[in-house]
Amino acid sequence: MVGKGYLTEIESERHRVVFNGNGAGAEVSIDGDSFEASHVWLDESGQNLLVLLGGRSFDFRIEEEDDRLMLTYNGRRYRGLVTDEHLADLKRRAGISDTPTGRTAVKAPMPGLVVKVLVALGEEVTKGQRLVVLEAMKMENDVKAPRPGRVTNVAVDAGQPVNGGAELLVIE
Amino acid sequence: MVGKGYLTEIESERHRVVFNGNGAGAEVSIDGDSFEASHVWLDESGQNLLVLLGGRSFDFRIEEEDDRLMLTYNGRRYRGLVTDEHLADLKRRAGISDTPTGRTAVKAPMPGLVVKVLVALGEEVTKGQRLVVLEAMKMENDVKAPRPGRVTNVAVDAGQPVNGGAELLVIE
Amino acid sequence: MKMKRVLVANRGEIAVRVIRACRRIRLESVAVFSEADRAALPVRMADFACLIGPAAPGESYLNIDRIIAAAHRYKADAIHPGYGFLSENPVFAARVVDEGLTWIGPPAEAISLMGDKIAARRLITKQGVPIVPGSDGPITDPAAALAEAQKAGFPILLKAVAGGGGKGMRLVEKPEDWIASFEAAAREAERAFGDGRMYWEKYLQQPRHIEIQILGGPDGKAISLGERECSIQRRHQKVIEESPSTVVDPDMRARMSQAAVTAAQGCGYIGAGTVEFLVDRDRNFYFLEMNTRLQVEHPVTEAVTGCDLVIEQFRIAGGNGWTPPPLPPEPFGHAIEFRIYAEDPQNNFLPSPGTLSVYREPQGPGVRVDSGVYQGGEVPVHYDPLIAKLVVWGRDRTEAIGRAQAALEEFAVGGVATTIDVHRRVIAHPEFVNGNTTTDFLPRYLASTDGDAPIDADLRRALAVAATLYTRRQTERRSRTVGSGSASPERSDWLAAARREGVRRWSVLN
Amino acid sequence: MKMKRVLVANRGEIAVRVIRACRRIRLESVAVFSEADRAALPVRMADFACLIGPAAPGESYLNIDRIIAAAHRYKADAIHPGYGFLSENPVFAARVVDEGLTWIGPPAEAISLMGDKIAARRLITKQGVPIVPGSDGPITDPAAALAEAQKAGFPILLKAVAGGGGKGMRLVEKPEDWIASFEAAAREAERAFGDGRMYWEKYLQQPRHIEIQILGGPDGKAISLGERECSIQRRHQKVIEESPSTVVDPDMRARMSQAAVTAAQGCGYIGAGTVEFLVDRDRNFYFLEMNTRLQVEHPVTEAVTGCDLVIEQFRIAGGNGWTPPPLPPEPFGHAIEFRIYAEDPQNNFLPSPGTLSVYREPQGPGVRVDSGVYQGGEVPVHYDPLIAKLVVWGRDRTEAIGRAQAALEEFAVGGVATTIDVHRRVIAHPEFVNGNTTTDFLPRYLASTDGDAPIDADLRRALAVAATLYTRRQTERRSRTVGSGSASPERSDWLAAARREGVRRWSVLN
């Protein structure tokens, strides 16, 4: 295998991606298997990417959402996370941890009005548990726990208007 | 009339445009008549402009073509040319002429192959006269004189491939 | 007096729909817009546009005085209300007429009558149209009502007389819960509508929701344009609608049409309206309510009849008499509508407002999209998250479903999450394919799946490559920006690369 | 053997059209592309994509070996040729079959026969189908041919036996020009086709061009799907097509259909094909030629029959027998197609390649757009400048024209010039509105107008304001870029302004 690559997580499954070769016979190695590959950035937004991989054509839209990527293909969305092995190496040597700190801020997905806070400080929550009810776009919407953990901060009260992206509470 | 304005030519007819006021009651004066006005740049391209003028809504696309503007409204294209009175003033004072030099380079509107050159050096041509036949996009296309004048340079020969924008000949 | 200029008292896709109809018959249009909609598509498309207030609907799209003032200011001579907002407000309808403007909708009296659920039930019963068994008036004595309800059989649905949108509604499974449910629902209705009156209906289990589109002529005679099946619902909101229904045959269509026409004529209905029915397993149908406006799902009827319902509304309201449109003897082919919401199905259908960084609609034979947005535009947080309606037509239902799958795949939206993928999964479901869907189908299906169908290995690898390429490019751009000090490093870099490769925008992996 | 994966040997809108059909019936698709089309829409939409060579058609879309190699490499089991390029090349059709692939088109023999104009005329005459009076073989003795031609009456059209695209064609107004014209045309034909053989036809003055769409079944039986009127032409290229024709009544339709079916069955035709006729002022029709492929204008037939012609092509070629599609007894409504070219009508229709900075297609009931481009994509200089086809459907011709006007206005294209405005003017012309158009209409109209209809005063003022705002903004941006030294002055400036105003992207004039 040539040089360093990337560790790329797609929907929680990790792959090692290494780009090899140059010019027309370009290849990419994925988890050790080689494929002929080429790509085109379709416009100046940098969000529309066409990938030809082993002859198959894939038309992706890519957006950043928090620290992750959201890729859309044929109407379905997929989550991705990419780590540069070279940078990870440097960090490791510098003693910077690459694992998550365990602190997750739960944010308002849109501006709205907090209708109810369903959990209390210190409470243990399970993944998917309803945490906050937010009224926006004419409807009441549930904000659910993205992971299990303990609520270590509650930043809002019922009746309070919040901006999109505002921290509602913290799970650790 | 408040301050300096712009001299704006639309399809060869000239108008004086002055922006007045600020905030919600904004107005524009056109050839001395005042109109309530507002506008929105519709996206980051800067080419899509919505103008509300006296209540009427106009959805324009604007592009630059050589030194002119090309505005599209409801599928039809209109030519525009804008002169800033303030800049024109400065130029006038500095002795810089604002009138055209009388030299017009006729350019290839697209890449192609010169099939025929229909005029000779020194020839007088009328507006709309066929000057060059260019083969492109599977078809033979006529390049016509944008103005009357004398041909003072012929830069291409029959059989020669040319890039889009290449100077074909000059009329003075 | 000929109608010349129509004010469209709405926003989003339905405002665009009405403006398109105006352009097609050379009527001028006036868009009204809130501060949140200054760059919205209806404002771009209308001949005139008038800012009427802040984003909050009460100060703009629900504000009767401001809309009337806009109509006078821009010399509109008619008002089309779309759906939602003021479309079923009899005060507005009456006011429009009082101001000397043409109201593109039914008479205020018909709106009032059908808006009072008890009055509507009484009228319909009198006309011999079957209704869902239930109380014949507001509940005055809950205990006495319980006895009656027990005769009809539990479960029972308690509903607010002034109701709508599921508020003040309670499903009562057993008689023991009756009193508590009644009191809670009445309190809720009182809070929501200032009217705590309740009535009850027998709760039909696993019904279908089928409705009849009618057009009432100025002479009081109504015609039916056939049915729409709207059983795919979530939170009492229709999600997918189609015409014809898989359970309606010509005889049943004729009987339902007759019932709908009777209902419409009975309330003096003029214009486009919809009579909703519930249909039980034995294909008995029961009047549910009448919607006194253009429906969201009107395009499926247009697709199978060839009739432009908005233009028919104008013709009826025009005051020069009206000839009913020619209709095919049977529905021509099959049409399905999909409501595309800016909601995130992977996150409990939370609304997903934002800027549409990518927006490309599907195309091809039998595909229509009604939307109120455009690439680069915004989905504001203040309003309903419906951004588009995809309507596919096929010679038969199978062809329509095939076209729908392809069109849903082709529908490219970036910047906001949408319900497109849910539609794809629903129409691939055997129950949908077989046409065996009742109103509980979608909630049941959504509860049974987490939406994570396995990812094909080729796609998974391509996703990994795409994500990696994106990250690599971002990293490179950032480092170049810092290093070069150029005002616009990206573009020049881009062009240089293109020149190297000989073709703009093409690159091979290296 | 069931067809599973189709290679589409074409580009642009027709490649997209075929790929859409594949997706709808769950066939996989393989796009082939030249270096100029790496980012083209068909490449994005297909399941597989294969680079086959440089931009020049001879090295890519016309290169049989490379296309066959791509088919084998990506395991395609069928090839659809679209129109143009190799679609009417009998060598290619035969080769595809020899390679064990399914050819989505008529037998090579039928292509050959109909491609030889003399052989086609002989066959058709033998079948009793009326043809334009003319020579029954290639001209061997020009002087003898002149005598015959004089009997038919001048003017006469000299045509190349191997002809196409207007090459080797000469209109001869009077007998004195006969010899010179013959020699010039033969030389041109020799140069263009390597075959200098000529024949002659009587030149019908002000004819209509009307054609019949047929589908030939694998059993040799053909059916007619009715006519298309294609009289709006420029440089012998169709520009606007519609169905039904304003001059064809049910009886004439039946007679033309019968003639077309006879012609198709006579040459063993299988698949979709078109028999073209010229129609004179007395509504006599004469066989002109048969096109042995899918036509550009096939969507108008789809709109009034409900039939998907590409899918019928797959069904016929599939080899499992074929049941003709159900057709309405008469055309259902009226459809019109507009070919949108990237050409500049204000500059002698010069091609206008470039980047589509804006591209937004119209929508609404009865509107379909087939295109091969997208916003941000390119119109390359190497190929035909057709970028899109707008197809409108209405219950009747008047409704269709109204819808077309609105849709043409709504069609937003920036970055290249288009023929959209010409269409708007044509369909507003009384002769078009009345349906009185013959093949000389468009050249006559274009010669009579400079396209500069007066500009309404409100629009003129708005144009002046827009141009001024644009220039002011450009000036401000340039001075800020110089002054601030920021890496991205525009965006931050933008955001600051938005914050000041309280709403993103809204500004009032100041």
Side-chain angles (χ1 to χ4, degrees), chain C residues 20 23-24 26 38 44 360 363 365 367 369 376 378 395 403 405 409-410 487 504-506, chain D residues 20 23-24 26 38 44 325 360 363 365 367 369 376 378 403 405 409-410 487 504-506:
Chain C
R20 279 204 180 103
R23 294 173 82 142
R24 284 162 171 217
R26 299 284 134 182
R38 289 180 195 262
R44 296 179 68 177
R360 215 170 61 247
Q363 272 287 3
V367 173
V369 179
E378 307 245 358
R395 222 162 36 195
R403 289 178 167 188
Q405 276 294 4
E409 284 180 7
E410 208 181 311
R504 194 170 98 72
R505 296 187 312 181
W506 173 258
Chain D
R20 279 205 180 103
R23 294 173 83 144
R24 284 162 172 215
R26 299 284 133 185
R38 291 180 194 262
R44 298 178 67 176
R360 214 169 62 246
Q363 274 288 4
V367 173
V369 179
E378 306 245 358
R403 289 179 167 187
Q405 276 294 5
E409 286 181 6
E410 210 181 309
R504 196 170 96 75
R505 298 188 311 181
W506 174 257

Side-chain angles (χ1 to χ4, degrees), chain D residues 39-323:
Chain D
L41 194 54
V43 182
R44 298 178 67 176
M45 288 183 62
D47 295 303
F48 295 82
C50 181
L51 176 65
I52 50 166
E59 300 188 64
S60 48
Y61 300 108
L62 286 172
N63 191 304
I64 293 178
D65 288 338
R66 292 189 189 167
I67 289 169
I68 295 290
H72 289 314
R73 181 164 182 204
Y74 292 112
K75 300 189 173 55
D77 45 29
I79 293 187
H80 193 301
Y83 55 69
F85 293 124
L86 295 168
S87 61
E88 291 180 287
N89 182 327
V91 175
F92 183 55
R95 173 76 180 276
V96 167
V97 174
D98 286 349
E99 297 279 345
L101 306 169
T102 299
W103 167 245
I104 315 290
E109 299 72 29
I111 299 177
S112 285
L113 206 161
M114 287 298 176
D116 180 328
K117 304 301 171 194
I118 291 285
R121 281 174 63 87
R122 283 183 180 152
L123 173 74
I124 292 300
T125 309
K126 207 171 66 188
Q127 289 166 335
V129 173
I131 61 168
V132 180
S135 55
D136 62 355
I139 298 172
T140 46
D141 176 350
L146 172 59
E148 274 179 74
Q150 280 182 297
K151 271 184 255 168
F154 271 72
I156 293 287
L157 205 55
L158 281 164
K159 295 170 93 173
V161 173
K167 286 213 167 127
M169 195 187 282
R170 281 287 186 292
L171 175 63
V172 194
E173 300 276 3
K174 45 190 194 300
E176 300 86 272
D177 301 338
W178 180 258
I179 298 294
S181 294
F182 172 81
E183 285 167 0
R187 270 198 310 273
E188 196 173 292
E190 178 68 42
R191 268 204 313 277
F193 314 113
D195 178 351
R197 289 179 305 151
M198 302 295 299
Y199 70 106
W200 64 265
E201 276 177 11
K202 182 174 166 61
Y203 180 73
L204 293 183
Q205 281 177 313
Q206 299 199 304
R208 288 168 179 265
H209 176 118
I210 301 180
E211 60 191 27
I212 298 285
Q213 174 70 52
I214 65 102
L215 285 173
D219 60 356
K221 282 194 192 128
I223 61 166
S224 160
L225 285 86
E227 82 280 8
R228 293 185 289 258
E229 156 120 34
C230 315
S231 299
I232 309 293
Q233 305 187 349
R234 196 182 150 268
R235 291 179 167 185
H236 301 283
Q237 293 268 10
K238 297 164 190 166
V239 173
I240 299 177
E241 303 99 345
E242 60 184 297
S243 183
S245 160
T246 53
V247 294
V248 174
D249 59 22
D251 171 65
M252 183 173 173
R253 182 172 302 122
R255 287 185 292 117
M256 290 184 80
S257 290
Q258 185 51 52
V261 163
T262 302
Q265 291 182 166
C267 70
Y269 203 87
I270 297 172
T274 296
V275 181
E276 297 190 332
F277 297 93
L278 289 182
V279 175
D280 69 17
R281 289 174 208 189
D282 301 322
R283 295 168 68 236
N284 299 306
F285 57 88
Y286 305 95
F287 173 85
L288 186 62
E289 63 180 42
M290 178 161 189
N291 292 312
T292 55
R293 53 167 158 84
L294 190 71
Q295 300 275 93
V296 176
E297 61 270 24
H298 73 276
V300 296
T301 298
E302 297 184 323
V304 297
T305 61
C307 174
D308 186 318
L309 286 167
V310 179
I311 289 176
E312 294 304 330
Q313 289 187 297
F314 288 132
R315 291 195 175 129
I316 291 169
N320 304 313
W322 176 68
T323 316

Side-chain angles (χ1 to χ4, degrees), chain A residues 55-73:
Chain A
R56 274 194 66 179
S57 166
F58 296 94
D59 189 356
F60 292 115
R61 286 181 302 295
I62 310 178
E63 299 153 70
E64 293 182 39
E65 240 183 57
D66 299 326
D67 292 342
R68 307 214 145 219
L69 300 179
M70 189 61 85
L71 296 101
T72 309
Y73 175 72

Side-chain angles (χ1 to χ4, degrees), chain A residues 159-171:
Chain A
Q160 181 179 335
V162 292
N163 287 320
E167 192 168 302
L168 302 176
L169 41 76
V170 174
I171 301 176

Side-chain angles (χ1 to χ4, degrees), chain D residues 5 11 18 94 104 119 126 146 166 177 190-191 193 226 232 280 326 332 370 393 418 425 433 481:
Chain D
R5 190 176 293 171
R11 64 174 303 283
V18 175
I104 315 290
K126 207 171 66 188
L146 172 59
D177 301 338
E190 178 68 42
R191 268 204 313 277
F193 314 113
I232 309 293
D280 69 17
F332 185 67
D370 277 24
W393 178 91
T418 74
R425 288 187 282 131
V433 172
T481 309

Side-chain angles (χ1 to χ4, degrees), chain A residues 26-75:
Chain A
E27 278 184 356
V28 61
S29 145
I30 306 161
D31 301 332
D33 296 327
S34 271
F35 299 87
E36 194 190 355
S38 60
H39 70 282
V40 197
W41 295 101
L42 293 163
D43 56 32
E44 288 172 21
S45 74
Q47 296 202 310
N48 289 293
L49 174 62
L50 179 68
V51 173
L52 301 190
L53 188 66
R56 274 194 66 179
S57 166
F58 296 94
D59 189 356
F60 292 115
R61 286 181 302 295
I62 310 178
E63 299 153 70
E64 293 182 39
E65 240 183 57
D66 299 326
D67 292 342
R68 307 214 145 219
L69 300 179
M70 189 61 85
L71 296 101
T72 309
Y73 175 72
N74 275 3

Side-chain angles (χ1 to χ4, degrees), chain A residues 75, chain C residues 340-341 408-409 411-413 418-425:
Chain C
I340 315 286
Y341 289 100
L408 288 164
E409 284 180 7
F411 210 136
V413 183
T418 73
T419 53
I420 291 172
D421 189 49
V422 175
H423 291 304
R424 287 189 55 199
R425 290 187 280 130

